[in-house]
Amino acid sequence: MHYANAMVLDAPGRPLAARRIELRDPAAGEVLVRVSACGVCRTDLHVIAGELTQPKLPLVLGHEVIGRVEAIGPGVDTFRQGDRVGVPWLGATCGHCLQCLAGRENLCDAPQFNGYTRDGGYAQYMVADAAHVFALPAGYDDAHAAPLLCAGLIGYRALRFAGDAQTLGIYGFGAAAHLIAQLAIWQGRRVFAFTRPGDTASQAFARSLGCAWAGDTTQPAPDLLDAAVLFAPVGSLVPTALRATRKAGTVVCGGIHMSEIPAFPYELLWGERTVRSVANLTREDAEQFLALAPRVPVRTHVQCYPLAEANAAIADLQAGRIQGAAVLMCS
Ligand SMILES: [Zn+2]
Ligand SMILES: [Zn+2]
């Protein structure tokens, strides 16, 4: 029997506990990955807080996983031992439900999610479904590649739903925003960044990445938006963003959880404005974004922590003390 160090969530609301976990051999269609780096995503905070209510328990969090294939289960011919791979949030899909058949596997009726319904990457090793694991572009070391796997992929999906918006507002300037802003600017869009009031450090960070304007969510934008993407999990920003968006514009909610959206006058939606959510990712999103990121190139800004200090990384993310993304160094 093999064991690995891991940081384990025993129950919502508790700090993660350092523990030795038993490693199982990869089953058919799976790979065992030796994890080198794992990003800390805001979704992890929602799981710890109990706001996402269906976690496997006890649970190893983590769905921005970079590592090397250590062992291969029966029937896997897509990877070899030693290959560098990335493991995202979407852990497995059924392949035969209505949504899967319609090309919307992100909405699968019987999905598995890494670091939520199955163990993830806050550990030295994890087992992943080989069909939902990706080869990675060169040019990113392990720590800098990690945020691409969720902040990048789901951010990319959110940006796609902004359509051809030329003037784009981004609300909440964390891990996803700092990547997607770079992509949007490279595509020739004008990006305005909205941060929590008083967060001048994030505003300066946004300007340093090429955003045309950065300010508080309480401030008016310098121009009407064609579309807005919300990464901050703050429901009151939905009417705020609608108010800032021109007719026919779209407000995209990029997070998996959001505080309640307050009532707002229909007039804000009138004019064929759209409010929509973005759920999970498809493997097609991953293939597209992982090919695009090195061409821009999207540069990830990371703050690294040893695996054993996962609780400190989580506290820093919760408190808004991270510029870019927090990443755990796992082995
Ligand atoms: Zn399905
Ligand atoms: Zn995530």
Side-chain angles (χ1 to χ4, degrees), residues 40-44 63-64 89 149-151 154:
V40 179
C41 176
R42 181 161 293 279
T43 296
D44 301 341
H63 58 269
E64 297 182 298
W89 167 248
L149 267 297
C150 183
I154 295 183

Side-chain angles (χ1 to χ4, degrees), residues 24-32 54-63 87-93 111-122 126-133:
R24 65 178 176 86
D25 290 329
E30 291 183 330
V31 287
L32 175 68
Q54 305 292 323
K56 163 194 178 291
L57 288 173
L59 172 69
V60 180
L61 290 157
H63 58 269
V87 186
W89 167 248
L90 187 69
T93 47
Q112 295 280 330
F113 298 110
N114 292 310
Y116 184 47
T117 65
R118 50 190 287 166
D119 282 338
Y122 286 18
M126 74 171 285
V127 172
D129 184 279
H132 294 77
V133 164

Side-chain angles (χ1 to χ4, degrees), residues 92-101 104-111:
T93 47
C94 80
H96 53 72
C97 72
L98 205 64
Q99 300 295 349
C100 279
L101 292 176
R104 292 186 296 262
E105 65 179 4
N106 58 310
L107 304 177
C108 175
D109 290 337

Side-chain angles (χ1 to χ4, degrees), residues 6-308:
M7 296 298 288
V8 178
L9 179 70
D10 288 310
R14 299 241 207 108
L16 306 185
R19 199 159 296 152
R20 299 282 286 166
I21 55 166
E22 266 181 34
L23 276 183
R24 65 178 176 86
D25 290 329
E30 291 183 330
V31 287
L32 175 68
V33 176
R34 179 166 53 82
V35 180
S36 52
C38 183
V40 179
C41 176
R42 181 161 293 279
T43 296
D44 301 341
L45 306 188
H46 295 310
V47 175
I48 294 168
E51 290 161 338
L52 299 187
T53 56
Q54 305 292 323
K56 163 194 178 291
L57 288 173
L59 172 69
V60 180
L61 290 157
H63 58 269
E64 297 182 298
V65 187
I66 307 296
R68 304 234 166 5
V69 174
E70 178 89 4
I72 294 170
V76 177
D77 56 8
T78 43
F79 294 106
R80 293 183 179 182
Q81 195 180 13
D83 283 354
R84 187 168 86 131
V85 293
V87 186
W89 167 248
L90 187 69
T93 47
C94 80
H96 53 72
C97 72
L98 205 64
Q99 300 295 349
C100 279
L101 292 176
R104 292 186 296 262
E105 65 179 4
N106 58 310
L107 304 177
C108 175
D109 290 337
Q112 295 280 330
F113 298 110
N114 292 310
Y116 184 47
T117 65
R118 50 190 287 166
D119 282 338
Y122 286 18
Q124 289 174 308
Y125 290 89
M126 74 171 285
V127 172
D129 184 279
H132 294 77
V133 164
F134 304 103
L136 295 169
Y140 293 90
D141 65 24
D142 293 350
H144 287 84
L148 300 176
L149 267 297
C150 183
L153 298 189
I154 295 183
Y156 172 68
R157 188 171 178 83
L159 180 63
R160 286 209 294 130
F161 287 127
D164 59 2
Q166 281 303 299
T167 301
L168 179 73
I170 298 182
Y171 289 75
F173 209 82
H178 97 283
L179 301 181
I180 286 332
Q182 294 175 60
L183 177 54
I185 292 162
W186 177 76
Q187 291 171 328
R189 307 175 198 249
R190 206 159 50 127
V191 177
F192 301 157
F194 298 84
T195 73
R196 57 178 110 184
D199 187 358
T200 53
S202 292
Q203 291 162 20
F205 182 46
R207 281 187 218 102
S208 78
L209 295 175
C211 291
W213 177 90
D216 290 356
T217 50
T218 55
Q219 290 175 265
D223 205 350
L224 274 176
L225 308 175
D226 297 321
V229 178
L230 272 59
F231 291 119
V234 180
S236 62
L237 290 176
V238 172
T240 300
L242 275 171
R243 199 170 269 119
T245 300
R246 72 172 76 249
K247 285 180 280 189
T250 301
V251 173
V252 184
C253 301
I256 194 167
H257 181 270
M258 191 180 247
S259 56
E260 193 165 287
I261 301 170
F264 57 85
Y266 178 56
E267 181 193 341
L268 294 184
L269 189 61
W270 172 250
E272 301 193 342
R273 292 176 183 85
T274 303
V275 177
R276 70 168 302 151
S277 65
V278 166
N280 313 315
L281 69 137
T282 65
R283 283 172 281 182
E284 194 184 358
D285 294 324
E287 278 148 23
Q288 288 180 8
F289 179 73
L290 292 174
L292 206 49
R295 287 177 54 206
V296 174
V298 173
R299 294 186 198 286
T300 60
H301 294 249
V302 299
Q303 202 161 311
C304 295
Y305 299 75
L307 174 62

